């Protein structure tokens, strides 16, 4: 499911924009991890449950000795996921960010995320485009994200 999500993102961006996809690393991996978590079942009969969580990722993010801040996460490139150190944390932080933006229960935040996704599929997935949708000052957004991660990681 993870790799199928990558393929669908890449092919749909090419088909829609008639160009090579250029998704930021956090979005590519975060969405793939999120879809891998929320989909279950056998081929041809998948069930989608957006409330399903990958608790290991929440715990890895929250328990990391050195967490990356939001700005660093937004600048993850595909090579950051090939590193021999911090790889699981990068996947975890990308996943929890996508989960937060998609499933926080805040309709305005979700609409902003949908706007950014549309932009990313059009080849505009940079950090500056992210800030266009979420505001230039992301301190509050980062605080809300890390608070949600802590609540979920410590609930179990």
């Amino acid at each position: 499911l993870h790799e199928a999500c990558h393929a669908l993102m890449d092919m749909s961006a090419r088909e829609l924009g008639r160009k090579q996809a250029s998704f930021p690393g956090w979005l590519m991996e975060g969405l793939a991890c999120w879809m891998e978590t929320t989909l279950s079942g056998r081929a041809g009969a998948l069930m989608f449950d957006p409330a399903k969580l990958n608790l290991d990722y929440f715990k890895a993010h929250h328990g990391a000795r050195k967490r990356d801040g939001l700005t660093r996460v937004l600048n993850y490139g595909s090579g950051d996921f090939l590193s021999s150190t911090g790889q699981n944390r990068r996947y975890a932080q990308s996943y929890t960010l996508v989960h937060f933006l998609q499933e926080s229960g805040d309709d305005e935040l979700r609409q902003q995320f949908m706007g950014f996704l549309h932009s990313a599929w059009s080849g505009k997935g940079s950090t500056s485009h992210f800030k266009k949708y979420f505001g230039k000052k992301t301190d509050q957004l980062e605080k809300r994200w890390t608070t949600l991660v802590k609540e979920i990681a410590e609930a179990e």
Side-chain angles (χ1 to χ4, degrees), residues 35-149:
M35 292 300 289
E36 182 179 31
T37 299
T38 59
L39 291 171
S40 62
R42 60 187 196 353
L46 291 175
M47 301 290 289
F48 176 67
D49 181 2
K52 191 174 172 191
L53 300 173
N54 183 325
L55 292 174
D56 291 337
Y57 278 150
F58 279 93
K59 290 177 182 182
H61 176 171
H62 179 62
R65 278 188 23 239
K66 181 187 170 243
R67 289 180 219 139
D68 288 330
L70 179 58
T71 300
R72 174 67 184 110
V73 172
L74 295 176
N75 284 291
Y76 283 166
S78 57
D80 288 313
F81 295 91
L82 302 174
S83 172
S84 60
T85 58
Q87 185 183 59
N88 189 56
R89 176 183 38 80
R90 287 185 191 97
Y91 278 104
Q93 287 195 251
S94 297
Y95 164 78
T96 62
L97 180 57
V98 168
H99 175 84
F100 166 68
L101 296 172
Q102 181 70 11
E103 297 298 328
S104 68
D106 182 331
D107 289 338
E108 181 181 352
L109 187 63
R110 189 172 199 204
Q111 287 304 313
Q112 290 168 311
F113 185 48
M114 292 299 116
F116 175 72
L117 285 177
H118 184 269
S119 172
W121 251 266
S122 301
K124 299 173 182 164
S126 68
T127 300
S128 60
H129 283 96
F130 182 91
K131 290 181 177 184
K132 177 181 173 186
Y133 288 91
F134 293 95
K136 293 195 185 299
K137 303 253 185 210
T138 56
D139 295 349
Q140 284 301 100
L141 183 69
E142 183 170 3
K143 184 177 181 180
R144 289 175 57 202
W145 169 42
T146 56
T147 298
L148 177 77
V149 168

